[in-house]
């Protein structure tokens, strides 16, 4: 019995050990776990990646926000690595999870991170006027909020730098929830071949857990958490990508956000990925990476490139073998 208990005691730390963050991609260097809220929560930190060789002029910045249902995930790693040798700096942001602090803590953290990065732009040779935001799933929701709510001061600022803008100049949203007032209805309208994963009830449900209530048109917190609520003509350009077979966030969420942005006169491109679910597959492919790069090159570097939806054949789910 003592041997068994000793074995458990030895193995337990290993079972809960956090994986080491990956090394910085070749040609870049990283500074990790920078607190963007002084004396704040342990989650209120970010990593900054910059080229090893200093650039002649300040670089545009891509702010990456990870997904994980607002209750998990990690800032360690992401699809941004390929951009570090393409003339960009990158900041990867961690934020408080919903089981620690419900909404609006997550967007308050992201906005605090943007303000901190802009306030410290000169130190890291970053252009404070060229910030892009990119995220997937819950991170897609948060970067969409950075885009539509930025500058409106709906949520009380935290972390200092209150006089610094929290606006971004471009948003790339991978399959993020966009409207908590319509998501339940849209989930109920999905094709029968798509089995939606959530019931919108109880602490285990990510939507409920974020706002501590069932999403719906009569719930004030649902409206407050929705990027669609803050759409105005001065929002930054958006690139939105969403799989048509997503079982966690209905495609209609991104279609609704895209429609509202378009009606407001905001440049927006919606890329549907036929047969693709919640991430994976073509999202990590060269075609999507090229589209994202052209989007940021156009809106952060001012390059004269076309940003338009890719042919379906380039972004469809692979056909299953007969």
């Amino acid at each position: 019995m003592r041997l068994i208990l000793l074995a458990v005691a030895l193995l337990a730390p290993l079972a809960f050990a956090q994986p080491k963050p990956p090394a910085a991609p070749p040609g870049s260097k990283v500074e990790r776990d920078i607190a963007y809220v002084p004396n704040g929560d342990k989650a209120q930190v970010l990593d900054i990646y910059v080229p090893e060789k200093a650039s002649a002029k300040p670089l545009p910045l891509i702010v990456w926000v990870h997904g994980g249902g607002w209750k998990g995930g990690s800032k360690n790693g992401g699809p941004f690595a390929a951009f570090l040798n393409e003339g960009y700096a990158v900041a990867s942001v961690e934020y408080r999870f919903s089981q620690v602090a419900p909404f609006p803590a997550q967007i308050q953290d992201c906005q605090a991170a943007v303000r901190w990065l802009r306030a410290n732009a000169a130190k890291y040779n970053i252009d404070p006027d060229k910030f892009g935001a990119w995220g997937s799933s819950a991170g897609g929701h948060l970067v969409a909020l950075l885009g539509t709510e930025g500058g409106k001061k709906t949520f009380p600022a935290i972390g200092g730098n209150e006089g610094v803008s929290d606006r971004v100049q471009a948003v790339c949203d991978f399959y993020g929830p966009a409207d908590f007032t319509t998501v339940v209805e849209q989930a109920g309208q999905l094709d029968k071949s798509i089995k939606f994963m959530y019931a919108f009830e109880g602490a285990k449900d990510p939507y409920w857990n974020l706002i501590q209530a069932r999403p719906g048109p009569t719930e004030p917190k649902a409206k407050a958490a929705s990027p669609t609520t803050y759409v105005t003509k001065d929002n930054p350009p958006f690139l939105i990508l969403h799989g048509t077979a997503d079982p966690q966030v209905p495609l209609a969420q991104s279609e609704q956000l895209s429609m509202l942005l378009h009606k407001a006169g905001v440049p927006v491109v919606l890329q549907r990925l036929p047969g693709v679910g919640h991430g994976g597959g073509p999202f990590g492919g060269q075609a999507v990476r090229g589209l994202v790069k052209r989007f940021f090159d156009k809106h952060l570097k001012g390059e004269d490139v076309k940003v338009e939806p890719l042919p379906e054949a380039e972004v469809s789910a692979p056909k299953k073998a007969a």
Side-chain angles (χ1 to χ4, degrees):
M1 185 65 177
R2 289 181 179 178
L3 290 175
I4 293 174
L5 291 174
L6 177 61
V8 170
L10 291 172
L11 289 172
L14 297 177
F16 294 98
Q18 293 295 317
K20 291 184 178 180
S28 67
K29 59 183 180 179
V30 59
E31 186 175 337
R32 299 192 188 279
D33 297 327
I34 305 168
Y36 57 80
V37 173
N39 303 311
D41 188 271
K42 63 181 180 180
Q44 293 170 319
V45 295
L46 56 80
D47 300 340
I48 295 181
Y49 297 79
V50 296
E52 285 183 331
K53 184 178 179 181
S55 62
K57 60 180 182 179
L59 295 174
L61 176 72
I62 296 174
V63 180
W64 169 254
V65 182
H66 70 81
W70 307 282
K71 60 180 181 178
S74 170
K75 64 179 172 57
N76 295 335
F80 58 78
F83 289 73
L84 291 168
N85 292 317
E86 297 286 352
Y88 291 94
V90 172
S92 186
V93 176
E94 193 57 89
Y95 52 91
R96 288 171 292 170
F97 293 154
S98 55
Q99 62 269 40
V100 174
F103 188 85
Q106 296 69 33
I107 187 60
Q108 288 175 298
D109 287 356
C110 291
Q111 290 178 332
V114 168
R115 289 194 302 273
W116 187 94
L117 287 161
R118 186 163 274 124
N120 289 274
K123 177 180 178 180
Y124 295 99
N125 198 29
I126 294 167
D127 188 333
D129 297 321
K130 296 179 180 179
F131 276 31
W134 183 11
S136 62
S137 192
H141 163 255
L142 292 171
V143 298
L145 266 177
L146 280 175
T148 62
E149 199 284 327
K152 295 180 172 66
K153 300 183 179 180
T154 303
F155 310 111
I158 63 171
N161 301 306
E162 286 88 351
V164 180
S165 173
D166 59 18
R167 288 177 60 88
V168 296
Q169 284 67 56
V171 174
C172 181
D173 167 11
F174 276 19
Y175 47 90
D179 191 339
F180 280 62
T181 71
T182 60
V183 66
V184 176
E185 180 182 4
Q186 291 169 353
Q189 295 172 346
L190 288 173
D191 186 276
K192 292 182 179 179
S193 64
I194 305 171
K195 296 182 179 179
F196 196 73
M197 293 177 57
Y198 305 118
F200 303 106
E201 294 285 358
K204 291 185 178 181
D205 183 281
Y207 292 90
W208 190 98
N209 202 38
L210 180 69
I211 63 172
Q212 298 291 292
R214 181 177 173 83
T218 62
E219 173 52 59
K221 287 181 285 187
K223 184 176 181 180
S226 301
T228 53
T229 298
Y230 311 101
V231 170
T232 51
K233 63 181 180 180
D234 63 343
N235 291 162
F238 268 69
L239 172 63
I240 306 172
L241 292 88
H242 209 127
T244 65
D246 193 323
Q248 299 185 49
V249 181
L251 168 63
Q253 288 278 289
S254 287
E255 292 176 331
Q256 182 182 348
L257 176 58
S258 176
M259 179 190 68
L260 289 172
L261 289 166
H262 180 74
K263 288 179 65 175
V266 177
V268 56
V269 173
L270 172 61
Q271 175 72 62
R272 298 174 179 85
L273 285 72
V276 177
H278 197 69
F283 279 105
Q286 290 291 340
V288 166
R289 183 180 300 173
L291 176 59
V292 174
K293 183 179 183 301
R294 289 190 296 277
F295 173 73
F296 283 131
D297 286 350
K298 179 179 180 68
H299 296 293
L300 298 184
K301 292 184 178 180
E303 294 187 5
D304 185 16
V305 293
K306 287 187 177 180
V307 182
E308 54 190 11
L310 299 166
E312 287 190 357
E314 295 185 24
V315 292
S316 295
K319 291 184 179 180
K320 295 181 180 179

